[in-house]
Amino acid sequence: MPEVIERIETHLVDLPTIRPHRLSMTTMACQTLVLVRMHHSDGVEGLGEATTIGGLSYGAESPESIKCNIDTYLAPLLIGQPSASVNALRARMNRHVRGNAIAKSALETALLDAQGKRQGLSIADLLGGARHNHLPVLWTLASGDTHQDIDEALQRFDDRRHCDFKIKIGANAVDDDVRHVAAIKAALGERASVRVDVNQAWNETTAVRGIAALQDAGIDLIEQAISAREMPGLVRLSQRFQVPMLADEAVQDACDGFTLAANGFSGAYALKLAKSCGIGGALELAHVAQAAGISLYGGTMLEGTIGTVASLHAWSTLPELAWGTEMFGPLLLRDDIMTEPLRYHDFGVDLPCGPGLGVQLDEDKLAHYRRKH
Ligand code: MUC
Ligand code: MG
């Protein structure tokens, strides 16, 4: 008898952040993880996790909608199905449910975790094997205060935690943002790579002014300066400036990646499991980018440990991530629901090597942080 999916549990888990995390569209004091526990008839449990940022302020899925749509629509599609082919189950979800990429990504992670545990292989092994066991990780400066950001960056640099920094901007007037970023870059000097993420806050005219000033200040990469919908504008910015553009919200999946590249974009793409329905879709986007000569960056939706590790398994299989990764999510959270923390050291993080994800739930912590109402 082939093993089948028997039951899927979802839980909302609210974890406080170590400090307010200020983005152009929201300030986060807490991150909500949607934890998926997928039980199979052979007794294997697969874990998955979905996150977004600031309720509905980042995208069209909220933690509550992710839980509800898994419970109501996606779980019934999977229950009773053979567990063996993740590809067949991914296709089944996409055939019957439109959108909901973040919810699908959590289920795909749980399927791969179970498959790996069953076969005694890590998720990276299931994907053909890791090329890298230690991946570079940047830190995001988003306290909103210039001096606090400088102290935070210097401390992390001295601790050999991070040597690349991304500054969240777009909530303030462009001149104030440029002053803030230039002061941080001046304090860090050449030892650190400093980038910015505008999270779509500017129009193209403001972007031209802001990017010119940021380029002069020595900033290395400009992430999603204008609306995700303005692909022609993003192409124009990438052709106008020497400092490269990083497309984030504008590239959700391989189709977006193909369209942007075919229209003349040059620069880099941020990969995120949450944007592309999971590892399979994110790697499809990576392959399109590689074919088009576009660089890659391992992006985060500020996941906890499960989502971060799932991403690391995927990124570890890629030949090159020219801009490294931002898989720092667990470090932004005050606590964790896993038994072992990830090993962050020497400006990066180790890829866990046990079967599946290679991480285990701490049931007491889960009971403590799980939303009860
Ligand atoms: C984003 O848009 O890149 C990544 C780091 C961070 O602080 O927020 C995320 C989202
Ligand atoms: Mg971004």
Side-chain angles (χ1 to χ4, degrees):
M1 274 279 279
E3 57 280 350
V4 296
I5 300 165
E6 273 186 343
R7 193 163 55 87
I8 298 174
E9 278 175 59
T10 56
H11 302 281
L12 296 175
V13 179
D14 296 309
L15 292 174
T17 58
I18 55 171
R19 57 148 169 74
H21 197 63
R22 189 162 185 252
L23 293 80
S24 69
M25 64 301 191
T26 191
T27 299
M28 301 165 68
C30 156
Q31 176 59 307
T32 302
L33 320 178
V34 185
L35 172 70
V36 169
R37 306 184 76 165
M38 187 184 281
H39 303 274
H40 299 253
S41 56
D42 56 356
V44 172
E45 180 188 38
L47 298 176
E49 183 201 290
T51 53
T52 182
I53 292 173
L56 284 171
S57 59
Y58 195 92
E61 291 177 86
S62 68
E64 294 76 15
S65 83
I66 292 167
K67 176 173 167 37
C68 176
N69 288 336
I70 291 176
D71 294 348
T72 314
Y73 298 103
L74 287 157
L77 284 174
L78 299 181
I79 289 166
Q81 295 294 310
S83 320
S85 174
V86 178
N87 287 333
L89 294 168
R90 189 189 288 137
R92 184 173 168 81
M93 290 195 277
N94 287 336
R95 195 163 56 245
H96 296 285
V97 174
R98 290 192 191 276
N100 289 278
I102 309 181
K104 288 173 183 170
S105 76
L107 291 164
E108 195 209 69
T109 299
L111 289 166
L112 287 166
D113 184 40
Q115 190 74 302
K117 285 172 174 160
R118 193 172 287 127
Q119 298 187 10
L121 297 172
S122 75
I123 291 181
D125 290 336
L126 291 177
L127 299 171
R131 290 165 178 250
H132 318 278
N133 295 307
H134 181 80
L135 288 96
V137 179
L138 66 59
W139 178 250
T140 293
L141 299 167
S143 75
D145 179 84
T146 309
H147 295 293
Q148 188 177 334
D149 281 359
I150 291 172
D151 289 347
E152 209 174 281
L154 291 173
Q155 185 64 56
R156 280 169 168 77
F157 187 85
D158 289 347
D159 292 345
R160 296 181 62 78
R161 263 286 164 91
H162 309 280
C163 58
D164 300 328
F165 299 93
K166 146 162 150 177
I167 307 172
K168 287 288 187 183
I169 58 173
N172 303 313
V174 61
D175 294 336
D176 294 337
D177 271 345
V178 168
R179 259 195 300 278
H180 171 68
V181 171
I184 296 171
K185 174 65 189 168
L188 291 172
E190 288 313 307
R191 63 193 145 163
S193 171
V194 177
R195 305 112 184 241
V196 297
D197 189 355
V198 194
N199 282 118
Q200 314 186 63
W202 292 341
N203 61 29
E204 197 174 338
T205 312
T206 309
V208 166
R209 196 154 67 83
I211 294 168
L214 292 169
Q215 184 171 270
D216 287 349
I219 300 313
D220 291 326
L221 189 66
I222 311 289
E223 182 169 339
Q224 201 63 56
I226 59 174
S227 163
R229 298 162 63 114
E230 289 176 30
M231 280 206 188
L234 197 54
V235 171
R236 283 191 290 273
L237 292 175
S238 79
Q239 292 172 348
R240 181 172 184 138
F241 290 102
Q242 232 165 26
V243 59
M245 300 299 128
L246 174 65
D248 183 6
E249 289 92 325
V251 274
Q252 299 288 315
D253 57 18
C255 289
D256 292 338
F258 178 79
T259 306
L260 204 51
N263 281 288
F265 176 83
S266 71
Y269 290 165
L271 306 172
K272 287 181 185 170
L273 303 192
K275 295 193 293 187
S276 307
C277 300
I279 288 177
L283 292 179
E284 274 170 24
L285 171 59
H287 299 149
V288 167
Q290 283 164 348
I294 287 173
S295 316
L296 293 176
Y297 176 61
T300 180
M301 201 63 106
L302 301 178
E303 290 96 354
T305 298
I306 293 175
T308 298
V309 170
S311 308
L312 290 173
H313 280 290
W315 313 158
S316 76
T317 66
L318 292 168
E320 193 191 19
L321 287 159
W323 293 97
T325 84
E326 56 180 15
M327 307 317 302
F328 66 87
L331 299 176
L332 185 66
L333 305 177
R334 256 186 217 290
D335 206 351
D336 202 352
I337 54 165
M338 311 310 288
T339 52
E340 295 285 328
L342 289 177
R343 278 204 67 222
Y344 287 91
H345 65 98
D346 292 298
F347 310 118
V349 65
D350 291 343
L351 178 71
C353 55
L357 289 161
V359 294
Q360 272 166 13
L361 267 180
D362 180 326
E363 299 288 351
D364 293 338
K365 288 281 185 70
L366 173 61
H368 181 74
Y369 288 109
R370 192 168 60 82
R371 202 181 287 180
K372 274 111 195 156
H373 48 273

